[in-house]
């Protein structure tokens, strides 16, 4: 099982030196990949009673720009979105940005995608909130076509491309993984996804969800074992004595990847995230 680190978006700040030191420490420690969240806007909660999501005070680095920076200062870390809210973005532009990151990183991008939950962002970006699930599925098909061929033509429900293409091309099909736990997400993963990104414990519910994915894969004529699983260990939400058993539990369920989240642990300095990750990794390895 490959072990990666969650980029501590909300707590690392905006100093590029701190970001650089975090990335190089994580790579030198032996982590296989870095996973970053995606949010474009934060809502001001002042006039939104009961708002529980991210706010305008929540700091988020834009993932493709961040990965362009990380591609230049690392050599081996896989760069993973977890997850990119693709329906908020123009598909051809997202394909172009992803291809560029993949080219400049030497083929190190993995695109985790999802439909998101923040209607404020959708409104601001001019995309109908209710169509996001159907749009995402068509987007995945268009993304793959744009990455595969120099020139394509597409006429779908949400897309129309007439004899146009990307340059440079990534030279491979960038892996697309799905985040989410709804039954529709699980079946979509089985039908067309390269992997699944759960954020839960390795329990019987997770076992049933994996079975749903594999059943959908078989029904689609795919090899269920070819679909990866990336679990997430949030250190602040799991007692320290259970960190290893959490990782082992996901190993037993067949997880191929695990990422470690150090946010919400009361760390006082951004540098402490990298230090904690360096100390934790030996305790989670096989």
């Amino acid at each position: 099982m490959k072990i990666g680190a969650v980029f501590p978006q909300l707590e690392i700040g905006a100093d590029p030196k701190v970001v650089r030191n975090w990335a190089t420490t994580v790579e030198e420690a032996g982590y296989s990949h870095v996973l970053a969240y995606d949010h474009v806007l934060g809502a001001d909660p002042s006039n939104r009673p009961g708002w529980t999501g991210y706010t305008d005070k929540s700091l988020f680095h834009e993932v493709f720009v961040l990965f362009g920076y990380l591609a230049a200062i690392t050599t081996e870390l896989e760069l993973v979105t977890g997850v990119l809210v693709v329906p908020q973005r123009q598909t051809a532009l997202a394909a172009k940005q992803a291809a560029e990151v993949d080219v400049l990183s030497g083929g190190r991008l993995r695109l985790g995608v999802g439909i998101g939950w923040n209607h404020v962002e959708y409104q601001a970006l001019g995309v109908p909130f209710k169509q996001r699930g159907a749009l995402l599925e068509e987007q995945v098909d268009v993304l793959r076509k744009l990455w595969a061929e120099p020139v394509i033509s597409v006429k779908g429900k949400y897309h129309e491309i007439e004899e146009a293409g990307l340059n440079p091309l990534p030279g491979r099909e960038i892996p697309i993984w799905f985040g989410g736990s709804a039954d529709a997400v699980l079946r979509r993963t089985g039908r067309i996804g390269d992997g699944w990104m759960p954020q839960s414990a390795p329990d019987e519910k997770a076992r049933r969800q994996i079975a749903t994915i594999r059943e959908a894969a078989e029904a689609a004529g795919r090899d269920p074992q070819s679909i990866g699983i990336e679990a997430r260990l949030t250190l602040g939400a799991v007692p320290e004595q259970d960190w290893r058993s959490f990782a082992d539990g996901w190993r037993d369920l067949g997880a191929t990847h695990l990422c470690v989240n150090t946010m919400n642990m009361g760390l006082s300095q951004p540098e402490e995230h990298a230090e904690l990750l360096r100390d934790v990794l030996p305790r989670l390895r096989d």
Side-chain angles (χ1 to χ4, degrees), residues 212-264:
T212 298
I213 292 171
R214 290 175 174 166
E215 288 168 5
E218 289 177 350
R222 304 180 65 205
D223 177 5
Q225 299 304 318
S226 69
I227 300 172
I229 300 171
E230 167 127 25
R232 185 172 306 173
L233 168 57
T234 298
L235 299 181
V238 177
E240 183 173 354
Q241 65 270 20
D242 296 332
W243 291 350
R244 176 61 192 237
S245 61
F246 185 99
D248 287 342
W250 274 109
R251 281 192 184 92
D252 292 342
L253 288 178
T256 54
H257 297 69
L258 175 81
C259 61
V260 182
N261 177 17
T262 57
M263 288 184 282
N264 297 314

Side-chain angles (χ1 to χ4, degrees), residues 88-169:
Q88 293 177 350
R89 299 170 181 253
Q90 296 167 309
T91 309
L93 179 58
K96 177 72 171 181
Q97 293 170 313
E100 189 72 6
V101 169
D102 201 60
V103 167
L104 294 179
S105 67
R108 289 189 279 141
L109 178 65
R110 174 158 45 104
L111 204 65
V113 301
I115 61 173
W117 51 267
N118 191 339
H119 63 87
V120 174
E121 286 182 298
Y122 272 92
Q123 179 186 45
L125 293 165
V127 180
F129 186 71
K130 291 184 178 180
Q131 74 179 29
R132 64 198 194 281
L135 173 56
L136 174 62
E137 189 147 337
E138 188 172 295
Q139 284 183 302
V140 170
D141 181 59
V142 174
L143 287 168
R144 286 174 170 159
K145 287 177 178 175
L146 283 166
W147 293 332
E149 299 293 337
V151 176
I152 70 166
S153 292
V154 171
K155 191 172 180 64
K157 183 176 180 180
Y158 304 104
H159 298 84
E160 185 169 359
I161 301 172
E162 186 174 346
E163 297 178 353
L166 303 177
N167 194 355
L169 290 171

